Amino acid sequence: MNEIRFDGQVAIVTGAGGGLGKYYAIELARRGAAVVVNDLGGSSDGRGGGSAMADVVCEEIRQAGGRAAPNYDSVGTTAGGEAIVQTALKEFGRVDVVINNAGHLRNAAFGDVPQADLDSLIEVHLKGAFYVSQPAFKVMKQQGYGRFLFAASGAGFFGNPEQSAYAAAKTGMLGLMNVVAIEGAPHNIKANALLPSAASRMIEAMKPEHLAHYEHVFKEIAPLVGNALDPKFVMPLVVYLVSRDCDSTHAAYSASWGRFARVFVGIAPGWAGPRDTPATVEQVAEHWTQIISPENYSELGQLNDEYAALAQRLAAELK
Ligand code: NAI
């Protein structure tokens, strides 16, 4: 197979000063992309800031013969998102790839989540992805080419205790990806979401009481996965997804400890009640087995597909 390359392309990786993002940036640069290494600096719970993290990664890329430009703005404001995209345009003249990876984590039981943490998590993950992607989308539309990756999380897609605000923000990114993919399709813009797992500083910084939920799993997994807890093991899927060579769009993927898999939402046929009058609550209860059965599920391209499928079925039943 031919090597997957990014020559002539420009990539923005947010939160690329460490953890997973650093590996995405370094690998994209190694494969020919000019990379904007965005990082606010600061701690894994989103406090503080500084230029060192982005600078170190840029230096590593340049030392290896690659092209990189740092950006220290927070993704969490419209001005920050705009400035990140402007860095790419000023330094390299275009934007082909955006990896929305920046983020932080603050855990608390649902009843105890402080307002400030809810705001901060929504701001960096959900609004941050929006703020960076919106100006980039305009550039990509003009170019007729673009690739987005949204770093969401299994904590949102599947659920995870003590991460209500984080999960809500991350799953919001899935909705954002769905629409960016649909609106981007006519312009050769593709968008996908990632559900990664890796032993980055974000996970290491979790308090023992928060890690207790995972303890039994980690005990079983640790001896089996070799080095694959390392953030490096997420990188190959991400780099493939944002390449010219990958056709995927409007999809989500899990990358956990060296295993890559598609994650999807399906809808089952369910039960269709009477059309002349609403079903009774008791009818819903009576048909519960049919309503919850996953058999013969289908995947939908967009909301309209649900209506179209339903219209077809109702028409068939009326015949
Ligand atoms: P990390 O803490 O090592 O990396 C996140 C980076 O984002 C840091 O370098 C940080 O300085 C930067 N950052 C934080 N707020 C920022 C802001 N407002 N603007 C710009 N940069 C900012 O964590 P990790 O594990 O590498 O996480 C990367 C992404 O993957 C995050 O979005 C995280 O939520 C997500 N993720 C990670 C999982 C894991 O198992 N490590 C699991 C699920 C999702």
Side-chain angles (χ1 to χ4, degrees), residues 14-22 24 38-44 46 53 72-76 84 100-105 123-125 151-155 166 170 173 194-203 231:
T14 68
L20 297 161
K22 171 182 162 178
Y24 309 153
N38 157 264
D39 208 291
L40 178 66
S43 60
S44 61
M53 290 178 75
Y72 318 116
D73 287 293
S74 171
V75 297
I84 293 165
N100 287 296
N101 166 79
H104 64 252
L105 185 59
E123 192 173 277
V124 65
H125 293 284
S153 172
Y166 177 78
K170 284 301 201 189
M173 293 173 78
L194 173 76
L195 282 55
S197 295
S200 67
R201 70 168 194 172
M202 186 180 272
I203 304 302

Side-chain angles (χ1 to χ4, degrees), residues 154-166:
F157 213 110
F158 307 127
N160 206 26
E162 309 208 348
Q163 295 190 336
S164 53
Y166 177 78

Side-chain angles (χ1 to χ4, degrees), residues 2-169:
N2 289 340
E3 191 189 3
I4 290 170
R5 300 282 313 172
F6 292 83
D7 303 294
Q9 294 201 340
V10 177
I12 293 171
V13 185
T14 68
L20 297 161
K22 171 182 162 178
Y23 290 109
Y24 309 153
I26 289 172
E27 188 64 15
L28 287 166
R30 199 183 71 74
R31 291 171 182 269
V35 182
V36 173
V37 176
N38 157 264
D39 208 291
L40 178 66
S43 60
S44 61
D45 63 0
R47 294 183 169 92
S51 56
M53 290 178 75
D55 285 344
V56 167
V57 175
C58 282
E59 194 46 34
E60 189 172 337
I61 289 173
R62 291 190 197 117
Q63 289 287 330
R67 293 198 300 155
N71 172 283
Y72 318 116
D73 287 293
S74 171
V75 297
T77 65
T78 37
E82 189 63 51
I84 293 165
V85 173
Q86 281 304 319
T87 302
L89 293 177
K90 276 190 200 133
E91 296 288 333
F92 305 121
R94 51 187 290 130
V95 182
D96 299 283
V97 171
V98 171
I99 301 182
N100 287 296
N101 166 79
H104 64 252
L105 185 59
R106 296 181 192 176
N107 287 3
F110 180 46
D112 302 329
V113 176
Q115 177 74 41
D117 288 4
L118 171 63
D119 292 344
S120 177
L121 286 160
I122 300 275
E123 192 173 277
V124 65
H125 293 284
L126 180 54
K127 289 188 174 180
F130 201 104
Y131 292 146
V132 178
S133 301
Q134 197 178 41
F137 188 86
K138 290 179 189 158
V139 176
M140 291 174 177
K141 219 169 135 179
Q142 275 177 351
Q143 288 170 180
Y145 182 89
R147 296 286 184 271
F148 285 100
L149 187 90
F150 294 88
S153 172
F157 213 110
F158 307 127
N160 206 26
E162 309 208 348
Q163 295 190 336
S164 53
Y166 177 78

Side-chain angles (χ1 to χ4, degrees), residues 137 140-147 178-191 249 302:
F137 188 86
M140 291 174 177
K141 219 169 135 179
Q142 275 177 351
Q143 288 170 180
Y145 182 89
R147 296 286 184 271
N178 284 333
V179 177
V180 170
I182 290 168
E183 291 191 17
H187 311 286
N188 194 17
I189 297 171
K190 299 189 193 304
T249 190
Q302 53 178 299

